[in-house]
Amino acid sequence: MTLPSDRRREARDAARKRGLVVAPGLELPCVIEDQSASGLRIRLDRSFALPPVIIVVDLARGVAVEAAVVWSKGVEAGLKQSGQMSLRGLVPSRFAAARDAFRRAGG
């Protein structure tokens, strides 16, 4: 059986960064395990059914990554990135909850 991480066409860079998963009515801490040019893999503290589209806040960079959940297994999920936005300064309304979560986390 091929693991989801083995199906990638692009190289993944190990990240191991603190993050937050944000969606309507949802805010969960996560670890961004690795990322590529088009996606990322996250690890949650516990198994959780994520909605199809989420925003992952990279707390170290102050960036919100809009992404679709491609796969999920246990506490890990693979995401396809569809856009990103700096959370420093003004943001479009769809990123307002992510900006607020970033600020609450000390950003």
Side-chain angles (χ1 to χ4, degrees), residues 3-5 12 16 21 30-34 40-50 54 69-79:
L3 296 173
S5 60
R12 289 185 180 215
R16 300 284 303 165
V21 172
C30 72
V31 174
I32 302 167
E33 291 288 342
D34 55 44
L40 53 153
R41 181 171 55 102
I42 61 170
R43 177 181 297 269
L44 302 170
D45 291 339
R46 58 187 161 84
S47 186
F48 193 87
L50 294 170
I54 61 174
V69 177
V70 177
W71 61 267
S72 180
K73 184 173 182 180
V75 297
E76 290 191 335
L79 311 173

Side-chain angles (χ1 to χ4, degrees), residues 56-76:
V56 177
V57 177
D58 181 334
L59 294 171
R61 295 185 326 153
V63 171
V65 178
E66 197 170 32
V69 177
V70 177
W71 61 267
S72 180
K73 184 173 182 180
V75 297
E76 290 191 335

